[in-house]
Amino acid sequence: MKIIEGNRSFNLDEFLKKPLFAHLSTLSPEGPRESPVWFYWEDERIYIIGTPSSDSFPGRIEENPECAIGIVDLDHVTGKVLHAGFRGRATVEPFDKRIATRLLERYLGPEEEKWDPRFQGLGNSNILIKFVPETVVVRDQSFIPSI
């Protein structure tokens, strides 16, 4: 994985521990498509939970594994803007409860019984997307707010 850092960079591993939204960009016959997703970073891979369907991002990844992911941490009050942009390839993998649980705990907390029912008890009707970055652009684009 090649990391491209600008003059104003930040610690990528610390950034990726935060429960931020990622935007997954894939290709479809109609053109680029973007999906907001939760993610889990482990061993220089990004994991995303999906459901098997030809008209969703897992189906598009099976057709064309080249994709991009953008993640931004923004606080308009303080002016913090951290951005990591990834380009690489993704694969559709069998569901791994261990990885899925760690992913969901980041966003929903450690007690599954308190999670929104839509996320409790996920199993083999789901899949994992494993994204392997080839390049990463890391930029601190923070500013001094005028408010």
Side-chain angles (χ1 to χ4, degrees), residues 24 65-66 86 90-91 141 146:
L24 171 66
E66 294 181 25
F86 299 81
T91 54
Q141 298 174 301
S146 60

Side-chain angles (χ1 to χ4, degrees), residues 5 23 27 30 32 36 50 54 66 69 77 90 110 123 129 135 142 144:
E5 296 180 347
H23 293 269
L27 295 173
E30 298 82 29
S54 61
E66 294 181 25
I69 294 177
V77 173
I129 301 300
T135 60
S142 299
I144 298 172

Side-chain angles (χ1 to χ4, degrees), residues 45-108:
R45 310 284 190 265
I46 291 176
Y47 293 92
I48 299 165
I49 297 173
T51 54
S53 172
S54 61
D55 65 343
S56 66
F57 64 83
R60 293 190 299 274
I61 287 170
E62 286 180 327
E63 291 290 317
N64 186 341
E66 294 181 25
C67 51
I69 294 177
I71 305 170
V72 175
D73 187 3
L74 165 68
D75 184 334
H76 71 282
V77 173
T78 65
K80 177 178 73 172
V81 182
L82 304 179
H83 170 262
F86 299 81
R87 290 189 188 106
R89 300 174 69 79
T91 54
V92 177
E93 304 287 327
F95 189 73
D96 183 325
K97 178 77 172 168
R98 176 186 58 88
I99 291 173
T101 298
R102 287 199 302 258
L103 185 160
L104 292 170
E105 284 176 344
R106 291 169 38 121
Y107 296 91
L108 302 172

